[in-house]
Amino acid sequence: MKRKSLLAGVLAGTLAAALSACGGGSAAAPSSAAPASEASSAAETKSDGKKVGISMPTKSLERWNRDGSYLEKQFQEKGFKTETTYADNKVDQQVKDLEGLIADEVDLLVVAAIDGESLSQVLGDAKDANIPVIAYDRLIRNTDAISYYVSFDNYKVGQLQGQFIIDSLKLDEAGSSTFNMEVTAGDPADNNATFFFNGAMDLLKPYIEKGTIRIPSGQDTFEQCGTKQWDTATAMTRMQNILGSNYSDGTKLDIALCSNDSTALGVTQAIESDYAGDGRPLITGQDCDEANLANIVDGKQTMSVYKAVANEAVATLDLGEAILKGEKPDEKLIVDSNWSFDCAYDTTSYDNGRAVIPSYLLTPVAVTKDNIQKELIDTGYYRMDGAYPKALA
Ligand code: BGC
């Protein structure tokens, strides 16, 4: 069960103003805002020509391109050299990428793993070479080589999706009405995927038990609902099969709980091609990918969850700098850095099989057609391009 220390977030909020007078730290960094490096005092930032190796999973899922470029931007603006690799969602490739980065003698590794279980050996090599490793966004399991984890509150992502369903369909006032739901979860190799699934399903379970929510396919476990590599076509095919077997007589589908946008895209396509019932189901997602935001504007997807990866990069930079200075960062980093975004320091939720990894968890936000302007445009993360939002990464 998810637990987090709220202390750091509270401290960050209440002490930020006081500390800013001391010239500390960095701000959130949508492209249009002042970059973190400019907001930091020169005295505390000495990269000494150090090099950061950034290992991303793939270019084929929109968000990792944004992550890669934000991380490069943040570190380069502080004078670091960067070397970034994308592994085409192939585990062997990511291992090779990491071997290359270690051979190139990077001083710090920032790694978003494709498969959280498969990097133990190569990260052991990083440890032997005294290269600190930050697990970025996805926890890396079964290794003692990682010292910290930077991510969003992944359980909360699922909770935002679940609560959105409860509120939108007024499930507490449903009486004897029933709603049909199908669930599409993420990649079983990605440690985040169960957090998203559990966050939503823990909230929805009482309604399933009461019979307010029915799952006609009967597929309600993470194992049954997972989508290898978060692949859009895989999610589409699975939903087409579910629709064919359970909804071809016109049975109404009310809810498609999808853990993220790449799977929501596939589910939306399946509904367009194979759904015989009335109306459109409520469809959830995560990431605010451009194609999904267009679907939200057009009424084909109902919500997404936005995670400001620009801020995730800022947190990673400040953490990485502290590690490279030989410090042992803890929740004080949040206060000292004076971030303008919420972040919790969590020392209980993310056990990687070897240790509980100290984690910096940023806060996700639910996005619908009604708050795209406020959450995405006014904040400077996206701009409108005609009728649709475009990311500014
Ligand atoms: C990330 C999500 C993303 C998914 C697929 C997860 O680890 O946290 O933001 O949708 O991977 O790329």
Side-chain angles (χ1 to χ4, degrees):
M1 181 61 65
K2 180 88 178 91
R3 301 235 48 81
K4 73 177 184 184
S5 153
L6 290 172
L7 176 65
V10 171
L11 281 176
T14 53
L15 296 183
L19 288 171
S20 63
C22 308
S26 41
S31 314
S32 58
S37 53
E38 289 170 17
S40 298
S41 70
E44 64 174 3
T45 61
K46 275 191 90 201
S47 67
D48 292 331
K50 289 201 165 97
K51 182 147 126 185
V52 181
I54 300 168
S55 169
M56 292 286 115
T58 179
K59 276 186 172 282
S60 68
L61 295 165
E62 187 180 312
R63 70 156 288 184
W64 304 109
N65 299 277
R66 279 205 286 274
D67 290 272
S69 58
Y70 275 127
L71 283 164
E72 283 175 348
K73 182 167 176 277
Q74 288 301 323
F75 278 102
Q76 286 172 9
E77 282 176 355
K78 281 285 184 88
F80 289 93
K81 296 190 194 100
T82 58
E83 191 175 335
T84 306
T85 56
Y86 291 86
D88 198 19
N89 256 341
K90 297 191 176 80
V91 176
D92 292 354
Q93 183 60 50
Q94 186 160 41
V95 171
K96 276 193 207 126
D97 290 347
L98 287 164
E99 284 167 355
L101 293 169
I102 294 166
D104 288 349
E105 299 185 344
V106 297
D107 298 283
L108 171 72
L109 279 169
V110 176
V111 183
I114 296 165
D115 181 337
E117 303 275 353
S118 301
L119 300 179
S120 310
Q121 196 169 335
V122 69
L123 293 186
D125 296 345
K127 190 178 178 197
D128 292 344
N130 286 322
I131 302 170
V133 181
I134 298 175
Y136 180 82
D137 202 82
R138 298 171 170 176
L139 187 68
I140 307 170
R141 299 186 50 77
N142 297 329
T143 171
D144 59 4
I146 60 167
S147 34
Y148 290 95
Y149 177 45
V150 177
S151 192
F152 282 79
D153 184 334
N154 296 302
Y155 187 79
K156 170 96 182 167
V157 169
Q159 285 185 313
L160 288 174
Q161 296 165 339
Q163 194 60 49
F164 181 84
I165 291 168
I166 294 166
D167 294 343
S168 306
L169 299 177
K170 299 194 172 48
L171 295 187
D172 288 323
E173 300 150 35
S176 57
S177 306
T178 57
F179 296 87
N180 291 330
M181 175 171 91
E182 297 298 338
V183 184
T184 304
D187 186 351
D190 177 348
N191 193 69
N192 288 350
T194 47
F195 280 79
F196 303 144
F197 179 85
N198 290 335
M201 291 300 269
D202 287 350
L203 283 180
L204 296 174
K205 215 180 191 161
Y207 302 92
I208 297 171
E209 282 168 0
K210 259 193 286 182
T212 307
I213 293 179
R214 292 178 57 244
I215 303 183
S217 70
Q219 298 185 27
D220 61 357
T221 64
F222 177 75
E223 288 67 29
Q224 289 168 316
C225 301
T227 311
K228 248 185 137 202
Q229 301 214 322
W230 299 93
D231 182 55
T232 298
T234 305
M236 180 183 77
T237 306
R238 175 173 170 273
M239 184 52 72
Q240 284 172 332
N241 289 336
I242 288 176
L243 291 172
S245 307
N246 304 279
Y247 295 84
S248 57
D249 60 355
T251 298
K252 190 159 184 257
L253 175 62
D254 300 290
I255 308 158
L257 169 63
C258 301
S259 282
N260 88 329
D261 279 353
S262 60
T263 54
L265 213 52
V267 166
T268 302
Q269 285 162 9
I271 283 158
E272 306 253 290
S273 61
D274 288 51
Y275 177 51
D278 289 338
R280 282 180 178 280
L282 180 165
I283 302 179
T284 67
Q286 165 187 196
D287 290 333
C288 290
D289 285 351
E290 289 175 359
N292 299 76
L293 288 173
N295 278 351
I296 290 176
V297 169
D298 290 343
K300 296 180 184 171
Q301 181 173 324
T302 323
M303 65 90 76
S304 188
V305 174
Y306 186 58
K307 304 192 299 190
V309 295
N311 296 338
E312 196 174 7
V314 170
T316 306
L317 167 71
D318 289 342
L319 173 63
E321 273 196 312
I323 295 170
L324 288 173
K325 278 192 235 158
E327 294 169 6
K328 298 239 176 304
D330 55 22
E331 62 187 341
K332 210 169 150 288
L333 179 79
I334 296 172
V335 178
D336 290 349
S337 301
N338 190 19
W339 293 324
S340 63
F341 49 88
D342 288 337
C343 182
Y345 184 65
D346 180 316
T347 53
T348 57
S349 300
Y350 288 94
D351 187 334
N352 84 337
R354 292 293 181 85
V356 179
I357 307 300
S359 305
Y360 293 90
L361 302 179
L362 285 72
T363 307
V365 48
V367 168
T368 65
K369 205 172 184 167
D370 294 339
N371 68 356
I372 284 180
Q373 181 68 37
K374 174 171 170 269
E375 295 295 345
L376 303 185
I377 310 294
D378 296 349
T379 46
Y381 297 120
Y382 292 70
R383 66 181 166 79
M384 287 309 280
D385 181 18
Y388 303 117
K390 290 270 169 260
L392 278 167

